[in-house]
Amino acid sequence: MDQNTLILSRNQVRRLDHLAIEQFGMTGLVLMENAGRGLADFLTSQEIRGTVVIACGKGNNAGDGFVLARHLDLRGFSARVLLWADPDELTGDAAANFQILQKTDVPIVVRPTRLEDHLDGAGWLVDALLGTGAVGQPRPPFDTVIEAFNTADLPRLAVDLPSGLDCDTGAPATPTFRADHTCTFAAAKPGFFQPEAQPFVGQLHVCDIGAPRKLLEQMASPSNADA
């Protein structure tokens, strides 16, 4: 099964994660670790001049960002996490990875008030604000963060999908993060291939999260088309 040829909807991705945990005995922490490490593999294959600034919300997308920051630090790159949530709002695997990140030397800024101050010396901007489950218009403060990142003259990476983009329909909200690259997990999403989505997705890369080949083949079968 070539993951680059597999396309899964929002619901199918949820089912993939569920089956990886329930049927194959994987944990959400393992899947998140693989996702974040895959992001680091991609970023470190690019030219990085300056600090990688990672904007995080409070869901699993943020957890992927926390893992990315840790792996960048491990590899000797400068990273900075901007968290638009109170730490006690984090739950599950995202909370666990935040607790790990807090013990490292990676700077974490909670609810920054002057975003421009934290972009000084940035080399890349990473969107880990909203995941595939988000629908509708990004609410404050995410809308302001997205707009600020879009106007910055820096390369931009979206984690799993650009925040504001509907992964099933490809419809962009106002605003939607404009990525130069999107690293999506396990499989491409149907909305990425719609014409209106192209200016926001940029170059698409599918990152392996360790889901077994047998499971990917199961998800690709016609019986799972509407799962």
Side-chain angles (χ1 to χ4, degrees):
M1 169 58 60
D2 182 355
Q3 287 179 272
N4 291 309
T5 65
L6 182 61
I7 299 174
L8 297 179
S9 69
R10 175 185 291 115
N11 288 338
Q12 287 174 312
V13 167
R14 288 174 180 160
R15 179 166 172 75
L16 175 74
D17 288 347
H18 174 77
L19 292 176
I21 293 168
E22 295 298 322
Q23 288 191 1
F24 289 85
M26 303 185 76
T27 68
L29 277 172
V30 167
L31 297 174
M32 187 172 285
E33 185 73 16
N34 290 342
R37 188 174 60 242
L39 292 169
D41 289 343
F42 167 75
L43 261 183
T44 55
S45 74
Q46 307 297 302
E47 184 176 35
I48 300 177
R49 293 182 177 179
T51 299
V52 178
V53 177
I54 306 166
C56 296
K58 64 179 182 179
N60 283 344
N61 206 244
D64 299 331
F66 302 150
V67 177
L68 166 62
R70 174 162 47 83
H71 278 277
L72 289 173
D73 179 62
L74 177 63
R75 301 178 197 196
F77 293 92
S78 174
R80 180 184 304 130
V81 168
L82 307 181
L83 177 63
W84 273 275
D86 294 326
D88 59 7
E89 293 181 85
L90 301 170
T91 60
D93 300 328
N97 273 300
F98 182 76
Q99 291 168 8
I100 296 170
L101 187 66
Q102 282 184 303
K103 296 178 173 66
T104 72
D105 294 327
V106 175
I108 303 170
V109 184
V110 177
R111 295 191 183 277
T113 54
R114 286 176 52 85
L115 181 57
E116 60 273 16
D117 292 345
H118 303 288
L119 300 187
D120 186 40
W124 276 79
L125 301 180
V126 178
D127 163 29
L129 291 169
L130 303 172
T132 56
V135 293
Q137 306 293 109
R139 296 188 294 271
F142 301 129
D143 54 350
T144 302
V145 179
I146 292 169
E147 288 172 345
F149 272 30
N150 282 348
T151 59
D153 187 21
L154 291 165
R156 295 184 289 270
L157 170 67
V159 173
D160 207 13
L161 82 167
S163 291
L165 187 76
D166 189 299
C167 69
D168 282 350
T169 68
T174 303
T176 292
F177 183 77
R178 288 184 176 271
D180 297 299
H181 299 270
T182 295
C183 285
T184 198
F185 302 130
K189 312 307 184 288
F192 293 166
F193 303 99
Q194 298 304 312
E196 61 267 35
Q198 295 302 302
F200 302 95
V201 173
Q203 294 185 44
L204 180 63
H205 314 270
V206 178
C207 291
D208 172 22
I209 61 169
R213 179 180 57 82
K214 180 178 180 179
L215 177 55
L216 294 171
E217 291 176 346
Q218 178 181 332
M219 295 307 302
S221 69
S223 62
N224 282 304
D226 297 318

